[in-house]
Amino acid sequence: MLDAIAKAERQIAFVTFVYWTGEIAERFAEALSLAARRGVSVRVVLDAVGAREMDDRLIRTMRSAGVEVRWFRPVRAWRIWQSSHRTHRKLLIVDGQLGFTGGVGIAREWQGDARDPSQWRDSHFELVGPAVLGLWGAFIGSWLEAGGDPLAPPTPTPARVDPRDRLSIHVLPSTAAVGWTTIAIALWALIDAAERSIKIATAYFTPGEETVEALCAKARDGVRVELLVPGPHADVRVAKIVAESELRPLIEAGVRVYYFCPTMMHTKVVVIDEAFACFGSANINNRSMRKDEEILVATGASDLVEDLLIDFAADLGRSELLELEQLRERPWWRRLVAKLLGPLRSEI
């Protein structure tokens, strides 16, 4: 992403939920500022809740260089009902030709390669061709919601891809609104379509009853369902405790649940029947499926699916299979906390 920003000639569009601290936070602010100074049009949207840890100095640096920085839904007491609906997207579009999306935020947690607990495990994706317009459309939604002026499609439009290299890719954005999102419906459709296997890697797993029932039904029908979630290094302990109450019926139905052990696992990938994959910013939780702006990219590209299957297998090799007995032996206080937090599930 830094290399793409450094080579930008006309336009950069960037939106992120996470912009925290660390060397990488400094480097991104510097790269975006340098681009603006050499005449590139640079627009940045930061979520007012997710990026609240960002150093104000970096904002001032970018704005003084000519970067247009806007906050997505600042928290205001008289519009508190909007505060729960965030933009969780991570998007970078450069010159209308190149796009990036996935789970990676801008913080020291993403500076490594999951070698130790300080380095998070994640996946991010680079797109070229017509799919970039889908990412641009998602950016426009976030930009307008943050008070930006209307923008025309990027110039030039995405370059044509050699037919031999063309992949069938579908970009699905969801908006920060009330009710089930298009991404939730798409995920249920993918689960329903599975005939042999479902592999899910998600950073935050607090699903609704509909998702639990769908996965359980598939497991009982003989579909191999594997769920990979954060283990001992989960960054949001509350989410992990709440999720435990949903894991028991899944395991009883035959779902194989794995805890990723080396570090925080932040990946958001689903692979169906080892033939179709989707990835992006969305987790299998209430926030992603009901509340937040997200982005989902779906594809049946065989080479990419194969790569994701290799990654998934490697991650399972560094994970612990969760046994039903472990859930039964949970301390009484964890069961009590999970019950008390029940009313807050929609916010987790």
Side-chain angles (χ1 to χ4, degrees):
M1 287 192 287
L2 286 169
D3 184 59
I5 292 170
K7 294 177 180 177
E9 297 178 353
R10 293 170 297 277
Q11 187 181 65
I12 295 172
F14 180 58
V15 57
T16 186
F17 177 75
V18 170
Y19 201 127
W20 294 341
T21 58
E23 177 193 355
I24 196 65
E26 302 276 349
R27 291 179 64 190
F28 258 83
E30 179 183 2
L32 292 167
S33 298
L34 287 173
R37 289 194 182 98
R38 66 175 183 267
V40 177
S41 174
V42 184
R43 297 178 178 89
V44 173
V45 178
L46 303 170
D47 186 83
V49 172
R52 64 185 180 275
E53 294 183 26
M54 185 180 183
D55 190 333
D56 290 340
R57 174 179 53 82
L58 299 183
I59 298 290
R60 294 192 297 270
T61 296
M62 288 192 289
R63 284 178 170 162
S64 65
V67 178
E68 293 187 63
V69 181
R70 294 189 174 273
W71 291 98
F72 184 91
R73 294 189 176 177
V75 179
R76 297 186 176 95
W78 62 91
R79 300 179 70 181
I80 194 65
W81 62 88
Q82 285 190 350
S83 299
S84 180
H85 300 272
R86 313 310 314 169
T87 184
H88 192 246
R89 295 169 179 165
K90 291 90 177 172
L91 297 170
L92 174 66
I93 304 102
V94 177
D95 289 341
Q97 302 286 303
L98 191 61
F100 299 83
T101 192
V104 170
I106 311 303
R108 60 167 57 93
E109 285 81 354
W110 285 274
Q111 287 183 231
D113 195 22
R115 295 185 182 91
D116 62 60
S118 70
Q119 305 174 358
W120 287 12
R121 164 72 177 94
D122 214 333
S123 296
H124 218 62
F125 301 81
E126 178 181 328
L127 286 73
V128 295
V132 175
L133 280 178
L135 301 185
W136 174 259
F139 171 79
I140 289 295
S142 299
W143 176 254
L144 293 175
E145 178 64 24
D149 297 331
L151 299 173
T155 304
T157 55
R160 292 185 176 274
V161 177
D162 188 313
R164 293 169 295 181
D165 299 325
R166 185 183 297 275
L167 307 179
S168 178
I169 293 177
H170 306 274
V171 178
L172 296 176
S174 65
T175 58
V178 177
W180 296 114
T181 66
T182 54
I183 285 179
I185 295 170
L187 286 171
W188 291 334
L190 288 171
I191 292 171
D192 185 62
E195 297 179 349
R196 298 182 301 278
S197 65
I198 300 172
K199 302 179 188 297
I200 298 173
T202 183
Y204 308 104
F205 185 73
T206 52
E209 293 181 5
E210 297 84 353
T211 305
V212 172
E213 290 173 1
L215 291 172
C216 287
K218 283 296 177 178
R220 294 191 191 100
D221 287 344
V223 175
R224 183 178 178 87
V225 183
E226 295 173 297
L227 173 64
L228 177 62
V229 294
H233 300 288
D235 71 316
V236 181
R237 294 288 179 177
V238 169
K240 187 172 186 291
I241 291 175
V242 170
E244 289 173 348
S245 61
E246 303 293 355
L247 296 180
R248 180 167 179 170
L250 288 168
I251 294 174
E252 289 176 338
V255 175
R256 297 173 69 85
V257 179
Y258 295 87
Y259 277 159
F260 188 72
C261 296
T263 182
M264 170 61 186
M265 200 280 300
H266 200 256
T267 304
K268 302 99 165 50
V269 172
V270 177
V271 182
I272 303 295
D273 290 342
E274 300 190 357
F276 196 83
C278 59
F279 53 84
S281 63
N283 294 292
I284 311 296
N285 66 352
N286 281 289
R287 294 212 59 87
S288 289
M289 301 182 80
R290 295 194 68 132
K291 286 179 172 287
D292 292 346
E293 283 194 342
E294 301 282 7
I295 195 79
L296 184 74
V297 180
T299 180
S302 58
D303 288 349
L304 177 56
V305 172
E306 183 178 351
D307 285 345
L308 294 176
L309 289 172
I310 292 171
D311 287 348
F312 193 84
D315 288 338
L316 292 192
R318 298 194 290 168
S319 302
E320 173 192 357
L321 178 65
L322 182 62
E323 302 289 352
L324 190 58
E325 194 62 29
Q326 292 173 258
L327 291 176
R328 290 174 177 156
E329 294 176 352
R330 283 186 301 163
W332 66 268
W333 63 267
R334 288 183 74 92
R335 295 195 296 270
L336 176 60
V337 170
K339 187 171 184 179
L340 292 175
L341 292 173
L344 299 177
R345 290 182 58 83
S346 63
E347 299 298 324
I348 299 174

